Amino acid sequence: MSNRNPNATGTLGLGAHGIVLGCDYNPEQWPVETWHEDMALMQEAGVGIVAINVFGWSQVNPGPGEWSFDALDKAMDLLHASGIKANLGTGTASTPAWLTTKFPEVLPAAIDGTPRFPGGRQAWCPSSAIYREYSLQLVDKIASRYADHPALAMWHVSNELGCHNALCYCDNSAAAFRVWLQDTYGTVEAVNEAWGTAFWSQRYTAFDQIHTPRLTLSTRNPGQVLDFQRFSSQQLLEQYQAEAAVIKTHSDKPVTTNFMVTAHIRNLDYWQWAPQVDLVANDHYLDHRLADPTTEMGFAADLTRGLAGGKPWMLMETAVGAVNWQPLNVNRQAGELVRHAVSHIARGSDSICFFQWRASRQGSEKFHSAMVPHAGTDSQGWRDTLELSAALKALAPVVGSTVASRAALIFDWASWWTLDADNTPSSHVRYLDQVHAAYTAARQAGLGLDIVAAGADLSAYSLVIAPALHSIGDAHAQAIDAFVAAGGHALVTFASGIVDEHDAVRLGGYPGAFSSMLGLKSDAFYPVAPEQRLTLSDGTTGSLWSENVTVDGAQVLATFAGGPVEGFPAVTVNNRGKGKAWYVATALDASGYASLLTSIAAQAQLPLNPGLDVVVRHGEDATFVFAINHGSDNVDYEFHGVDLLSGEHLDGPAAVAPGTARVVREEKP
Ligand code: GAL
């Protein structure tokens, strides 16, 4: 999971900024006169890098064997002349009309097997050999032409791979799925075993009987659905790798693609992807459909740092203001752009890039915010951009420094896929909700977290939180147990440890994989309706879930005071070796969750900063204390150094005003 080119971000040395300001630049949507104005304004704003040619396929390759580079040449030259670097797109994200007209089999199919039409974007099947051939031809042309262009800083493969087309159910995908199954399992008997096909007479006797898990009359085989998720993530990763391999025959500049670590994209297992990119880049947009979008932003950035193996990473896209794709596109309030950018930088990003430079006049995204809005520079968006630009300049010393947390949260795509599958004990229990609840409780308690994979090395941590870690293999469960036995503190929540890596239930009682570590087991679940509250004996409440836990060594901290399992344990702790393991058998309310974490953190001797979002980045000579106040009251914090944003020298408690942030450089003794 390490970043193969740790110097790629932060040391690109772009523009005036240490923290790079950048954007998607789509000059093809504008007349050339506008490009000159763009260059002047980019210089004014201190833009250091632009993602260009991201959707350029139909422009540079207007027909089979036809190539037209004039416009891209001109744009690249202009960028260079303006001192701006290019994050050059391979242009493969969106297919040109001629390709899908000539080869309709490139088009992806929906879950019912019907084709999805061109006219939007990403209308290609990840398993299409024709798409692969033509896209690589394009990459080869682009990479060979621009490898030595002086504007080139890095390569942007495709765009948000899998944003729309991750799960394709066409016949080509079925054929590729069979090959993947053969490679993974060897024999059809092994597939039967992994998927439990004795159930409902689903047994296969040959690979060619197996399809993608298309829409069925009843529910689909969950093992098949899980493996299809894994296969689909892998197929797109192979497209990334194929494009990167072509680029690398021409260029030694860093290659990456923009991940979508957000609240609503779940199809790609980025723990598998991260080791394959030269630097980790993420796109993050605030999701106002969530109860607490700002906390989710912190979670996504912490997870991105985890994917980057702790190294600095790149925020490749966010919005200056509102997006255009939510039911209600909430704009950023005054000061929020800087505060939100600081939250990403605190968590390891060494750049802030936007979608996009200039707001489009046409197309689906014409109402998406941009650095240069429709109104031009006499606008809130432009003023916000300049304010941010100044802040990024002031934060230059932070570049390259890293975060070191002593508490971690385990995040796992297979648990997401299996817990959110059909026919679980409660469709109201959603994996990401439970992860966000744990992260939110940690934030409320003032505890900073790393986000790690199941199976990660836990030795740097004193506390590990495993929320709803539903699917887990033996080795990964044993690693958590060993961490506890060696003196660690672990908090495991309900729905964890129940199935193995094939989604087969672990026998002998729940929470299967963690029963011994936790010193307890249950034999039946009692989920409750979303609106029902379950009072616990300590006065806190739970919701969504209860189960009939009996302890076998664990100490009971709270019981259910009502509901379907009145009197049964709801919160427990077990001494295990030199450490302790807590279990929570319900969805604790926010303040109950935060106080439990406060008490566990005290036992793990972890510092807490309630009321503020505090993250520390460690540099060679200095540490950078990021203290962000997302709330509505002044909060004091003790600083000893210079606030890079305000220039103030602080030595003792100082207020962080509501809606603002301080980034204080403290010299190392
Ligand atoms: C991203 C995408 C951009 C743009 C943006 C709008 O998902 O990469 O091309 O569509 O969303 O928010």
Side-chain angles (χ1 to χ4, degrees), residues 266-340:
R266 64 170 207 146
N267 288 323
L268 306 180
D269 180 349
Y270 286 129
W271 294 122
Q272 307 299 320
W273 285 59
Q276 307 303 328
V277 297
D278 290 340
L279 68 146
V280 166
N282 192 43
D283 293 354
H284 186 269
Y285 294 92
L286 283 177
D287 192 333
H288 289 280
R289 293 165 291 195
L290 298 173
D292 185 355
T294 316
T295 300
E296 186 280 333
M297 174 177 65
F299 168 76
D302 282 330
L303 174 50
T304 307
R305 184 181 68 256
L307 292 164
K311 305 249 169 41
W313 50 277
M314 181 170 193
L315 183 69
M316 206 179 265
E317 284 183 28
T318 186
V320 170
V323 298
N324 66 308
W325 42 263
Q326 291 174 23
L328 174 68
N329 294 303
V330 176
N331 211 331
R332 280 194 159 111
Q333 299 287 304
E336 277 189 341
L337 186 60
V338 170
R339 191 173 88 241
H340 293 168

Side-chain angles (χ1 to χ4, degrees), residues 310-312 348 350 397-403 617-620 622 624 626:
K311 305 249 169 41
D350 275 357
V398 164
V399 169
S401 57
T402 53
V403 178
R617 281 182 69 159
H618 300 267
E620 271 176 28
F624 301 93
F626 289 72

Side-chain angles (χ1 to χ4, degrees), residues 24 29-30 34 37-38 41 356-360 370-373 376:
D24 274 40
Q29 296 177 16
W30 299 94
T34 312
E37 184 188 319
D38 289 338
L41 290 177
Q356 61 177 328
W357 166 247
R358 194 180 271 281
S360 302
M371 295 163 88
V372 184

Side-chain angles (χ1 to χ4, degrees), residues 55 121 159-160 258 283 285 317 323 325 355 365 368:
F55 295 102
R121 66 174 173 184
N159 187 62
E160 293 191 341
N258 40 352
D283 293 354
Y285 294 92
E317 284 183 28
V323 298
W325 42 263
F355 178 85
E365 294 181 329
H368 196 288

Side-chain angles (χ1 to χ4, degrees), residues 57-202:
W57 194 338
S58 68
Q59 177 182 267
V60 300
N61 183 197
E66 287 172 44
W67 301 96
S68 167
F69 291 106
D70 290 356
L72 189 53
D73 286 353
K74 190 173 175 57
M76 289 288 284
D77 293 349
L78 261 182
L79 287 171
H80 175 57
S82 312
I84 297 161
K85 293 289 181 191
N87 173 16
L88 183 57
T90 56
T92 56
S94 214
T95 46
W98 63 259
L99 184 76
T100 49
T101 305
K102 195 169 153 81
F103 304 108
E105 66 266 42
V106 165
L107 293 170
I111 190 166
D112 62 356
T114 56
R116 281 295 172 260
F117 298 106
R121 66 174 173 184
Q122 244 178 32
W124 50 272
C125 160
S127 302
S128 162
I130 291 175
Y131 172 80
R132 179 70 61 88
E133 181 191 333
Y134 279 83
S135 62
L136 295 189
Q137 207 180 84
L138 173 65
V139 177
D140 190 57
K141 288 279 185 194
I142 301 274
S144 57
R145 189 171 187 92
Y146 297 104
D148 298 320
H149 195 287
L152 179 72
M154 58 188 284
W155 294 97
H156 182 299
V157 168
S158 196
N159 187 62
E160 293 191 341
L161 282 151
C163 179
H164 311 284
N165 65 348
L167 304 179
C168 172
Y169 298 84
C170 77
D171 290 342
N172 285 331
S173 295
F177 186 37
R178 286 177 204 123
V179 172
W180 183 90
L181 289 170
Q182 242 159 337
D183 291 348
T184 305
Y185 291 104
T187 63
V188 79
E189 289 73 31
V191 177
N192 282 316
E193 178 103 353
W195 294 359
T197 56
F199 180 79
W200 279 356
S201 187
Q202 292 172 344

